[in-house]
């Protein structure tokens, strides 16, 4: 909780107590070796652990993550993971990021363009019945699934939705990438198929989000703000549909064939 001043448009000044979102270092240790330090909201860390490993392509299947242990330390949190080396990308694990993962960062430790712009995983077609109207309904419902943001006004959300636009689960974090990692972990741990719905997020659509979603088979990624050009082209190569909020009741819809035509 922070104490500040509230300034009104009429010049009035008053006090305000503001609940702040917690942002803390989370050290990711894989098979006893430090891998990365991410700045994150320390909630749903087991979801984050699984989603991070899947979304980053460190493992190809959830059962490759054998054990997750979270420990509160003086300076933050430590997330110790045991990963089956026979089901992991050992080159990625051996190289390690070795850099701090800032809240908005998705490319920490990348050293080459080939690493920065990898070939995306392919996804299937949107589930039957999914329409732009369902995206609109999900956007309208998203604030009701952001209790932390309602108090702090400073965190992102990622939500998994059914084809009708109903939000099935949501996760929040100060980092949009972390929010998506947490959601991926939660969806997989709940035995839901990411291909059976779509993801809606409170952020812009960047290329890293497209890669994370594609790796687990999400066919449609909808974000409040528009995608970048690279995100649009990457989604086209993945066969993924993108959507963005175009107004209170309007959605910009970018199916792969349109993305390719524009690209």
């Amino acid at each position: 909780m922070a104490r500040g001043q509230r300034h009104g448009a009429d010049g009035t000044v008053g006090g305000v107590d503001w609940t702040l979102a917690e942002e803390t270092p989370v050290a990711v240790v894989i098979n006893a070796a430090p891998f990365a330090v991410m700045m994150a909201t320390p909630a749903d860390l087991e979801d984050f652990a699984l989603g991070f490993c899947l979304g980053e392509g460190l493992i190809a299947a959830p059962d490759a993550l054998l054990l997750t242990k979270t420990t509160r330390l003086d300076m933050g949190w430590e997330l110790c993971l045991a990963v089956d080396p026979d089901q992991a990308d050992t080159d990625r694990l051996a190289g390690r990021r070795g850099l701090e993962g800032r809240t908005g960062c998705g490319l920490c430790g990348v050293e080459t363009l080939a690493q920065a712009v990898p070939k995306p995983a392919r996804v299937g077609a949107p589930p039957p019945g999914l329409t732009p109207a369902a995206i609109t309904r999900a956007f309208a419902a998203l604030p009701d699934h952001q209790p932390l943001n309602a108090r702090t006004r400073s965190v992102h959300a990622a939500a998994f939705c059914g084809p009708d636009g109903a939000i099935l689960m949501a996760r929040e974090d100060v980092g949009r990438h972390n929010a998506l990692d947490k959601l991926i972990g939660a969806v997989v741990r709940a035995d839901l198929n990411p291909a059976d719905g779509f993801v809606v997020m409170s952020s812009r659509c960047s290329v890293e989000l497209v890669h994370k979603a594609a790796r687990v088979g999400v066919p449609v990624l909808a974000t409040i703000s528009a995608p970048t050009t690279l995100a649009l082209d990457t989604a086209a190569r993945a066969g993924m549909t993108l959507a963005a909020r175009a107004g209170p009741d309007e959605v910009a819809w970018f199916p792969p064939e349109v993305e390719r035509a524009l690209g």
Side-chain angles (χ1 to χ4, degrees):
M1 186 73 70
R3 181 72 175 173
Q5 291 182 336
R6 183 186 298 275
H7 293 257
D10 58 356
T12 58
V13 179
V16 60
D17 291 322
W18 201 284
T19 301
L20 303 183
E22 187 174 357
E23 179 181 21
T24 188
V26 176
V28 180
V29 179
I30 302 179
N31 293 347
F35 184 78
V37 179
M38 306 300 296
M39 299 301 295
T41 300
D44 304 304
L45 289 180
E46 291 192 355
D47 291 337
F48 174 70
L50 180 57
F52 179 80
C53 289
L54 290 170
E56 288 289 323
L58 302 177
I59 59 175
D63 59 2
L65 180 56
L66 306 176
L67 179 68
T68 300
K69 179 182 178 182
T70 61
T71 304
R72 180 68 183 265
L73 304 175
D74 290 339
M75 298 295 293
W77 287 79
E78 185 176 67
L79 198 54
C80 292
L81 313 179
V83 171
D84 183 352
D86 293 331
Q87 300 186 66
D89 186 336
T90 53
D91 290 338
R92 289 284 311 281
L93 293 179
R96 300 191 292 276
R97 285 185 172 198
L99 289 177
E100 168 193 349
R102 295 171 179 83
T103 303
C105 178
L107 294 176
C108 295
V110 168
E111 297 176 349
T112 69
L113 288 176
Q115 290 176 315
V117 193
K119 181 180 179 180
R122 291 287 299 180
V123 302
L130 198 163
T131 64
I135 306 290
T136 299
R137 287 192 288 274
F139 279 141
L142 188 58
D144 291 336
H145 294 264
Q146 296 179 259
L148 181 57
N149 191 60
R151 300 195 302 271
T152 66
R153 302 184 191 179
S154 60
V155 298
H156 282 296
F160 182 65
C161 311
D164 60 353
I167 293 178
L168 304 180
M169 61 175 56
R171 292 292 183 267
E172 294 180 278
D173 197 276
V174 288
R176 55 200 170 94
H177 305 93
N178 300 339
L180 181 56
D181 283 336
K182 288 180 178 180
L183 179 68
I184 289 171
V187 168
V188 173
R189 293 177 70 201
D191 292 325
L192 298 176
N193 186 350
D196 291 341
F198 67 95
V199 169
V200 62
M201 297 188 64
S202 62
S203 66
R204 67 179 175 87
C205 182
S206 61
V207 66
E208 312 92 82
L209 299 182
V210 172
H211 277 293
K212 286 178 181 288
R215 287 186 182 114
V216 294
V218 174
V220 178
L221 177 60
T223 53
I224 292 292
S225 299
T228 64
T229 54
L230 183 56
L232 198 65
D233 183 66
T234 302
R237 290 188 286 131
M240 179 186 295
T241 296
L242 298 184
R245 193 171 190 177
D249 298 307
E250 295 181 330
V251 167
W253 183 259
F254 302 102
E257 60 272 16
V258 172
E259 296 164 8
R260 267 306 192 194
L262 293 176

